[in-house]
Amino acid sequence: MDGVGNSECDNQALSVQDLSTSIGGARVRYLRAGAGPALLLIHGLLGYSFSWRYAIPSLARISTVYAPDLPGAGYSDPVPGMDCCFRACAERVLGFLDAVGIRDCDLLGTSHGGAVAMMTAAMARSRVRRLILVDPVNPWSARGRSLSVFLSSPIIAPLFRELLPRSSLLQRFYFRRLFADTNRIRPGTLEGYLKPLRRPGALGYGLAILRSWNRDLDELESALARISDTPTLVVWGKLDAAVDPRSAFQLQQKLRNSELVILDGVGHLPYEEVPEQFNRIVSGFLLSSQSAPSKAAHAIENS
């Protein structure tokens, strides 16, 4: 299983199925594990199902976990010319639910996947029971707005597409800045993320997402009113260098039925950096007997 490898999934003898389905004629690879209510995990911009290797064993104890490589990412088929705006990505998430027979689910998204999760819920409210957003891209974080324009420009995009898979220095700079404490980067992490990016055309998906980034953020802001009452857990690393942690409070004002947990000393990837703590927080939310979290609840967790 390319997305799991020698991870905690193997250590705990968890049965993780490596499967595929089709969305719009493209093969989509996904992992499935556990039993119980459906929980769909949406990875970030340069992530794929590998991102969840430390979360799947824990969350599969209480849910049937589905972790797809979104079309164009990971080991799913690349689709040349594919529309990669937030709305189109959300439509493909809904297409995945249809393809695997999921009527409704809890939806967890991280970074770009968090924005896609919010858009998915706004487009099909009846199909998303609860949202879990991990350092989600949102309209109130200025980080990424200028960078998206720069990286998707006609001059820079081809250079970035060629250099990232080949330059170990660039790779390490990009991924290491996502951790607050680089000592927490476990063996095999960098290689695991980079392996599918070396496939021909793999970076095209990420660059296509960046082309409509700022327009998408404006549309997302308008869409949030439709999910203001959706029970939501927001988890954020206090030292996130990719999406401004201060934007969490503005986002929470829009998501009235939300709980915000800020992880002290943690960066953009809490499921990588402090997986045990992350799994405990998410599992607690999913197992809560309450139908929704307390309005505007807020906590800071020490890592």
Side-chain angles (χ1 to χ4, degrees), residues 34 36 38 49 76 110 127 133 135 149 159 162 172 187 197:
S49 54
S76 291
T110 181
R127 303 192 69 175
L133 306 173
D135 298 68
V149 174
L159 293 174
E162 290 297 320
R172 291 184 180 278
L197 294 181

Side-chain angles (χ1 to χ4, degrees), residues 175-176 179 181-190 272-273:
F175 284 102
R176 288 172 69 88
F179 287 76
D181 182 353
T182 55
N183 291 321
R184 291 174 175 154
I185 301 177
R186 303 186 185 196
T189 296
L190 182 60
E272 290 275 5
E273 200 163 350

Side-chain angles (χ1 to χ4, degrees), residues 11-32:
N11 295 337
Q12 299 187 22
L14 177 71
S15 176
V16 179
Q17 295 175 287
D18 195 333
L19 304 169
S20 66
T21 188
S22 178
I23 301 176
R27 188 190 69 87
V28 174
R29 181 275 188 104
Y30 69 99
L31 305 180
R32 182 176 69 190

